[in-house]
Amino acid sequence: MAVVENNTPFQVPCPNESHTILEPFAVFEPTGESSGALVILNTNLDKIALRDIWRHSLVRVCADGGANRLYDFFDSENEREKYLPDYITGDCDSLRADVEKYYVSRGTILIRQLSQYSTDFMKSIKVALLHASGESGRRALAGPIESNNGLSDLMSEVCPLPEISLYVAGGIGGRFDQLFHLINQLYTLTKEYPGMAIFFYTETDVIFLIPKGVNYVKYSSVLIFNTLELLPRCGLLPFGKNVILNTRGLQFDVENWPSTVGGDVSTSNGILGKDGFVICTSEDIVLSVEVSR
Amino acid sequence: MAVVENNTPFQVPCPNESHTILEPFAVFEPTGESSGALVILNTNLDKIALRDIWRHSLVRVCADGGANRLYDFFDSENEREKYLPDYITGDCDSLRADVEKYYVSRGTILIRQLSQYSTDFMKSIKVALLHASGESGRRALAGPIESNNGLSDLMSEVCPLPEISLYVAGGIGGRFDQLFHLINQLYTLTKEYPGMAIFFYTETDVIFLIPKGVNYVKYSSVLIFNTLELLPRCGLLPFGKNVILNTRGLQFDVENWPSTVGGDVSTSNGILGKDGFVICTSEDIVLSVEVSR
């Protein structure tokens, strides 16, 4: 058990053993393939790099009042016209009538789902997965869908589940129990949909799950974090179970380090890996990385 | 194991067995005794009921740049003059020179502590505890204090530790790892200082620890929460360990209900107890309660 303090950026090679590669910062690259699904939640979008994430997404879904947020995000009508979501879903009790009319008249598909046993976030994920599952999923989304819980019925027919990155804009920063709910979803959805990686983009951070095992978080350069200092802050956050951590590429690298709520937790750590860092964890944890756009 | 849905407000008697009474909403009462210590952190204070909490506090401490936030909170000089903190502490790398001058010239005691092994929040807690410990603690705080880690040396002489409520304004809502750090502090400080109850006041919630055992959360009436609906939302949040929960007075009351990150968590629950509710938990959890001021 040890903590080693590093002071200057250094190269961290990709691990030799079997590992998961995570690239949540790819959305900030000026170019690159579009491969993810964007979900916009009904919370403040200020200072979120929405245009960047949009460019890197193949499909864009607004969760209920998330459509209002998207609409209000743009000052100019000219720009608003260029950012039309593919879908709006949810129980739509927060969706403004003017916003609904604006997007539906421009081709956005509105999928009203009244069931209260699923959140607007979950409904949006189902739409994204159906869209990514291929031609038949997209046809089903375009057709009439039973208005209570039709999405769930359609989802049950999708096999195998597609592998996608889910980029979530908003959601962290409102009521504290809702924030905790989303973090809990990170854990449950990663179990339920093993092919899906979920990344939350907030005003201050990118937040995502680091699954149990060896992980390599990869990026082009630390400039991608765009923080004022060249040492973006990060936290290794053991929501849930106690963990043993090993890292390589952080300001305070740890070796066989037990971490638990009510005990030691690595927060205000920094990223020093030039184009990646390694996190090995004995259980799923959440990683937050400071970004500034 | 059961969940019971309640629909109308009802009276929940104080439990007969040995229990902890928690009264975090007392600060919103128009009258009442001043019994707590206010700590102001260096994050946004908008929409926080600072004047209410101030009125219910016996001592007020600003953590470093928290003093800037206090200064900027008031538009009128007339009002600013009425809200002078007793202490400012921390490494004071964020404290503005004009703010320092303003408060120190009006009697605020500035206690600069350079040690980087303690956060500004911890330094503020030590000042609050020393102040609450009695005359000798207050004399020590007024005298010269060794500038690196003198507070810790003074603290080690305090015995017994005073029982106080710590009201924390700000802190939840900035960088995500810092938020997690504060939640972790809730757990560790409650172990370290068993006589201290810590309550966080944010823009949207009051957040506090519910210790293992039987707890009665008490208030004058649900009007105190001041939410638009008469059903303030709450979440029972099992940071850390798995728990078994029993509640009485919530919209969704639970009985022998296991809760864990990655499994079932009670969020978007509601408060229906007319002047209190009961939470029995097998391990410490965090409770968030929606408030609007």
Side-chain angles (χ1 to χ4, degrees):
Chain A
M1 180 187 149
V3 178
V4 177
E5 182 169 1
N6 303 301
N7 291 304
T8 50
F10 59 106
Q11 198 85 33
V12 179
C14 187
N16 290 323
E17 62 266 62
S18 164
H19 62 274
T20 302
I21 294 181
L22 295 160
E23 296 183 272
F25 312 105
V27 298
F28 302 138
E29 300 289 354
T31 58
E33 49 181 330
S34 305
S35 57
L38 168 61
V39 172
I40 300 176
L41 299 181
N42 187 10
T43 50
N44 199 342
L45 296 177
D46 286 356
K47 299 192 202 164
I48 294 178
L50 194 63
R51 294 176 186 83
D52 291 332
I53 309 173
W54 189 283
R55 196 176 59 242
H56 284 268
S57 300
L58 286 171
V59 56
R60 296 95 182 191
V61 185
C62 290
D64 199 343
N68 308 340
R69 304 285 181 157
L70 176 66
Y71 184 94
D72 295 338
F73 185 79
F74 302 105
D75 293 325
S76 86
E77 177 53 35
N78 191 19
E79 206 181 9
R80 186 178 294 124
E81 286 268 8
K82 292 182 190 151
Y83 291 88
L84 302 173
D86 302 287
Y87 304 95
I88 300 173
T89 190
D91 59 6
C92 297
D93 59 347
S94 309
L95 180 63
R96 292 199 322 251
D98 62 317
V99 172
E100 174 178 338
K101 192 175 159 198
Y102 179 89
Y103 286 125
V104 170
S105 71
R106 284 162 178 79
T108 297
I109 299 174
L110 176 67
I111 304 173
R112 214 177 286 270
Q113 290 285 283
L114 300 177
S115 167
Q116 294 300 313
Y117 289 97
S118 177
T119 60
D120 294 333
F121 178 51
M122 273 310 303
K123 292 167 189 170
S124 303
I125 288 178
K126 284 171 185 159
V127 168
L129 285 169
L130 277 162
H131 184 96
S133 70
E135 197 48 52
S136 71
R138 286 194 279 277
R139 261 201 313 275
L141 288 170
I145 296 178
E146 190 275 318
S147 69
N148 187 53
N149 202 20
L151 278 176
S152 290
D153 299 338
L154 289 176
M155 265 306 288
S156 63
E157 291 162 24
V158 176
C159 184
L161 288 166
E163 303 216 339
I164 58 168
S165 294
L166 198 79
Y167 305 133
V168 186
I172 309 279
R175 234 173 57 208
F176 196 67
D177 62 326
Q178 292 179 328
L179 181 160
F180 194 91
H181 172 73
L182 285 180
I183 295 293
N184 194 41
Q185 297 271 53
L186 260 188
Y187 281 83
T188 55
L189 292 171
T190 305
K191 274 192 281 191
E192 200 174 339
Y193 303 112
M196 183 165 67
I198 306 176
F199 305 116
F200 286 101
Y201 298 86
T202 81
E203 209 175 294
T204 48
D205 298 280
V206 178
I207 299 168
F208 53 105
L209 194 103
I210 299 283
K212 177 178 171 169
V214 182
N215 296 270
Y216 184 59
V217 182
K218 198 176 159 187
Y219 40 87
S220 57
S221 112
V222 286
L223 295 173
I224 203 81
F225 303 107
N226 199 25
T227 49
L228 284 176
E229 307 173 72
L230 271 186
L231 186 64
R233 293 288 156 196
C234 68
L236 291 74
L237 314 177
F239 283 86
K241 296 182 184 158
N242 300 355
V243 296
I244 306 288
L245 296 172
N246 284 276
T247 68
R248 183 91 185 114
L250 305 183
Q251 184 186 12
F252 299 100
D253 268 328
V254 295
E255 202 181 305
N256 295 328
W257 197 70
S259 179
T260 179
V261 170
D264 286 331
V265 173
S266 178
T267 56
S268 293
N269 205 332
I271 292 176
L272 281 174
K274 279 187 176 171
D275 51 13
F277 55 89
V278 176
I279 297 182
C280 310
T281 175
S282 64
E283 299 289 345
D284 296 353
I285 61 165
V286 169
L287 183 72
S288 70
V289 177
E290 180 187 20
V291 293
S292 175
R293 309 313 302 176
Chain B
M1 181 187 145
V3 178
V4 176
E5 182 169 0
N6 303 300
N7 291 304
T8 51
F10 59 106
Q11 198 85 35
V12 179
C14 186
N16 290 322
E17 62 265 64
S18 164
H19 61 273
T20 302
I21 295 182
L22 295 160
E23 296 182 272
F25 312 105
V27 298
F28 302 138
E29 301 288 355
T31 59
E33 50 179 329
S34 305
S35 57
L38 168 61
V39 172
I40 300 176
L41 298 181
N42 188 11
T43 50
N44 200 343
L45 297 177
D46 285 356
K47 299 192 201 164
I48 294 177
L50 194 64
R51 294 176 186 83
D52 291 332
I53 309 173
W54 189 282
R55 196 176 60 241
H56 284 268
S57 300
L58 286 172
V59 56
R60 295 95 180 189
V61 186
C62 291
D64 199 342
N68 308 339
R69 304 285 181 158
L70 176 66
Y71 184 94
D72 295 337
F73 185 78
F74 302 104
D75 292 326
S76 85
E77 177 53 34
N78 191 19
E79 206 181 8
R80 186 177 295 126
E81 285 270 6
K82 293 182 191 151
Y83 292 89
L84 302 173
D86 301 289
Y87 304 96
I88 300 172
T89 190
D91 59 6
C92 297
D93 59 347
S94 309
L95 181 62
R96 292 199 322 250
D98 62 317
V99 172
E100 173 178 337
K101 193 175 158 196
Y102 180 89
Y103 286 125
V104 170
S105 71
R106 283 159 179 80
T108 297
I109 298 174
L110 176 67
I111 303 173
R112 213 178 286 271
Q113 290 284 283
L114 301 177
S115 167
Q116 295 300 312
Y117 289 97
S118 177
T119 61
D120 294 333
F121 179 51
M122 274 310 304
K123 292 166 190 169
S124 302
I125 289 178
K126 284 173 185 159
V127 168
L129 285 169
L130 277 162
H131 183 96
S133 70
E135 196 48 52
S136 71
R138 286 194 279 278
R139 261 200 313 273
L141 287 171
I145 296 178
E146 189 274 317
S147 69
N148 188 51
N149 202 20
L151 279 176
S152 291
D153 299 337
L154 289 175
M155 266 305 289
S156 62
E157 290 162 25
V158 176
C159 182
L161 288 166
E163 302 214 340
I164 58 168
S165 293
L166 198 79
Y167 306 133
V168 186
I172 310 278
R175 232 173 56 209
F176 196 67
D177 61 326
Q178 292 178 328
L179 181 161
F180 194 92
H181 172 74
L182 284 179
I183 295 294
N184 194 42
Q185 296 272 51
L186 260 188
Y187 281 82
T188 55
L189 291 171
T190 306
K191 274 191 281 190
E192 200 174 343
Y193 304 111
M196 183 166 67
I198 306 176
F199 306 116
F200 286 100
Y201 299 85
T202 80
E203 208 176 297
T204 48
D205 298 280
V206 179
I207 299 167
F208 53 104
L209 194 104
I210 299 282
K212 177 177 170 168
V214 182
N215 296 271
Y216 184 58
V217 182
K218 198 178 161 188
Y219 40 87
S220 57
S221 116
V222 285
L223 295 174
I224 204 79
F225 302 107
N226 199 26
T227 48
L228 284 177
E229 307 173 73
L230 271 186
L231 186 65
R233 294 286 156 197
C234 68
L236 291 75
L237 313 177
F239 283 86
K241 296 181 183 160
N242 300 356
V243 296
I244 306 289
L245 296 172
N246 284 274
T247 68
R248 183 91 186 114
L250 304 184
Q251 183 186 13
F252 300 99
D253 268 329
V254 295
E255 203 181 305
N256 295 327
W257 196 71
S259 179
T260 179
V261 170
D264 286 332
V265 173
S266 179
T267 55
S268 293
N269 205 331
I271 293 176
L272 282 174
K274 278 187 175 169
D275 52 11
F277 55 89
V278 176
I279 296 182
C280 310
T281 174
S282 63
E283 299 289 345
D284 296 353
I285 61 165
V286 169
L287 183 71
S288 70
V289 177
E290 181 187 21
V291 294
S292 176
R293 308 312 302 175

